[in-house]
Amino acid sequence: MPATRLFDRAVIRLTPQAEEEDVAAFLQGLVTNNVMGALPAYAGLLSAQGKAMFDFIVWPAGNGQLLIDCERDAAEELAKRLSLYRLRRKIAIAVDPAVAVHWEAHLGDGAVPDPRLADLGQRWLAPVSDDDMPADAEWLAHRLSLGVPEGRGELGDILWLETNAVELNGVAFDKGCYIGQENTARMNWRQKVNRRLVVVPLEASEEKRRRAAYPELGYAIDHLRVADLDSAALPAWQRPAVTEAVTPAD
């Protein structure tokens, strides 16, 4: 069996416990992306100030349920946070240890392209098996080679648009209100994304701006001023936004 399981990921299951409950509508009012349309979708749960607290991928699960593919180390905290917003709604929210997240670098075989960027490869969810083999190291190297940050250690407490959420399909500006929406929408309207998360060679990293470092892979993730970025050194998906931000208007 090929090594495809991401053991650093976990799955949270949201289940309606009454016929009138709508799990998608509940989540829709909390997260940055539209979860009432096509899934899977990449999204974030933000602070009131519009800063990233958690990022994840939302999957359909049938019978009105949704699954959240998230960091394993953040899963319990995310489930508790979502439960705080549940109030008296009859929705069960809990980590489901019976479901695993899988990934392969290529596309095909009936799985789904990563909703952030197709070049990231394909993902799928499946029941946990004793035969599952880890692909976490390969996933990390592949993700960093494409310049894509994720997780609280890399994104946490940074404004959502500064994490490249627009470019990675992690925000819908036409979906209505969610936590942190006001600041996020204002930044987008004013086109005021002054800093960006950027994957850089470790030797070029600025320690004061460093969010994470991976010496074994030779990469770091820095939070840098857009005006200081060389667009030619950025991945293709990130280049247009940076070029537009530093090019003076006619």
Side-chain angles (χ1 to χ4, degrees), residues 124-218:
W124 68 97
L125 305 181
V128 167
S129 168
D130 291 339
D131 295 327
D132 289 341
M133 299 290 289
D136 300 274
E138 292 81 3
W139 161 248
L140 176 63
H142 185 68
R143 175 172 67 81
L144 293 177
S145 74
L146 293 170
V148 177
E150 73 174 14
R152 293 190 299 176
E154 299 172 12
L155 311 185
D157 204 35
I158 289 177
L159 290 164
W160 187 235
L161 298 193
E162 293 183 352
T163 71
N164 307 296
V166 172
E167 293 70 32
L168 295 174
N169 303 309
V171 58
F173 293 108
D174 58 355
K175 68 176 286 289
C177 294
Y178 55 87
I179 300 167
Q181 182 263 346
E182 184 176 352
N183 280 352
T184 304
R186 184 184 299 115
M187 282 182 68
N188 181 66
W189 182 70
R190 294 180 176 177
Q191 294 295 293
K192 286 289 187 180
V193 183
N194 295 321
R195 293 186 183 273
R196 294 268 179 180
L197 283 179
V198 182
V199 178
V200 298
L202 184 58
E203 65 271 16
S205 174
E206 297 182 26
E207 189 171 354
K208 294 189 297 182
R209 298 297 178 188
R210 187 181 300 159
R211 296 288 303 178
Y214 302 93
E216 69 281 9
L217 297 173

Side-chain angles (χ1 to χ4, degrees), residues 43-106:
L45 182 65
L46 311 183
S47 69
Q49 294 75 36
K51 294 184 177 182
M53 296 177 64
F54 305 92
D55 71 315
F56 42 81
I57 296 173
V58 181
W59 295 79
N63 298 318
Q65 300 178 87
L66 291 177
L67 300 177
I68 294 177
D69 159 4
C70 64
E71 285 183 281
R72 181 192 60 196
D73 291 345
E76 291 289 352
E77 188 177 340
L78 174 55
K80 289 178 181 177
R81 174 71 60 168
L82 292 172
S83 296
L84 289 175
Y85 297 120
R86 178 181 53 189
L87 301 176
R88 296 185 179 181
R89 298 190 64 165
K90 296 178 181 178
I91 298 173
I93 303 172
V95 176
D96 188 341
V99 183
V101 179
H102 291 263
W103 163 83
E104 285 182 327
H106 68 271

